[in-house]
Amino acid sequence: MTTPDTGRVALITGGSRGIGYGIARALVARGDRVCITGRNEESLKEAVDALGPERAMGVAGKARDEAHQAEVVERVMDAWGRVDHLVNNAGTNPVFGPIAELDLDVARKVFETNVVSALGFAQRTWAAWQREHGGTIVNVASIAGVSASPFVGAYGISKAAMINLTLQLAQEMAPGVRVNALAPAVVKTKFAVALYEGREEEAVRRYPLGRLGLPEDIGGAAAFLTSDDSQWITGQTLVMDGGLFLNAGVA
């Protein structure tokens, strides 16, 4: 079967594996072209090869590096002349422990990568294409941003900031650009492996739907929020938790 061609282009940060790659796969499958970013050039090349070089390209670099942000948007515009969808998925969580003892330099790194880089990419895609032509932005947040998140507090605070950034951008960029966020619970990725490895059966008991999330779950939601089927939705955060919050407060 021939893959359709929507003529649309998506830029997905942190797209070489995990949730970002799951989103890239979903958008390529429906006919978009995608540019994915990541820090590891080899992983990025493998992802592009798997997605199909005719529909995908990769640009290696650190999301918080402004020169990298500029290069990515420039290369997308040079290659395809447009950037309809931005998915801010790049993130880091380099520390595990109480926030009262958090090294402030680590906190700054978390915010630079998880929040400031998302704003930077949004500003650049807005200036390059979306201000004049419209489009969508999807920010990948986390349920850690809508609840207390013991031992990953800096990550949780940064994801709460991402949710508010979503509101600010949605208000400012309307009506041409719709901006929404996804807030997943634990998804089975290398990034989250410490949260379930060796005790997945125990972790799953907390989820009414009986399993942890998969990258394709998030990919499907991102595909919806970047499609015309969601054209009356903006400024929203979709919690994707397998029913986890249904058990809040249950002994």
Side-chain angles (χ1 to χ4, degrees), residues 4 76 81 93 99 103 110 125 130 138 160 176 223 229 239 242:
V76 172
N93 182 31
I99 198 168
D103 184 313
V110 170
T125 56
Q130 293 185 334
V138 174
D229 290 335
V239 173

Side-chain angles (χ1 to χ4, degrees), residues 8-38:
R8 295 179 179 176
V9 173
L11 193 171
I12 304 167
T13 70
S16 63
R17 66 186 189 189
I19 287 175
Y21 180 71
I23 293 172
R25 282 189 63 189
L27 300 194
V28 166
R30 78 173 180 196
D32 290 3
R33 291 177 171 83
V34 301
C35 173
I36 58 175
T37 75

Side-chain angles (χ1 to χ4, degrees), residues 89-169:
N89 175 67
T92 188
N93 182 31
V95 64
F96 185 82
I99 198 168
E101 300 172 7
L102 180 65
D103 184 313
L104 294 184
D105 285 335
V106 174
R108 291 185 185 96
K109 178 181 178 182
V110 170
F111 269 75
E112 284 283 342
T113 301
N114 294 4
V115 185
V116 181
S117 73
L119 174 57
F121 273 107
Q123 290 176 336
R124 293 178 187 281
T125 56
W126 169 258
W129 176 263
Q130 293 185 334
R131 175 166 48 198
E132 297 297 325
H133 305 280
T136 69
I137 297 174
V138 174
N139 293 322
V140 179
S142 167
I143 62 164
V146 295
S147 63
S149 44
F151 303 108
V152 289
Y155 178 77
I157 295 168
S158 75
K159 291 304 185 177
M162 280 284 279
I163 289 169
N164 194 263
L165 175 63
T166 298
L167 296 172
Q168 303 299 332
L169 293 175

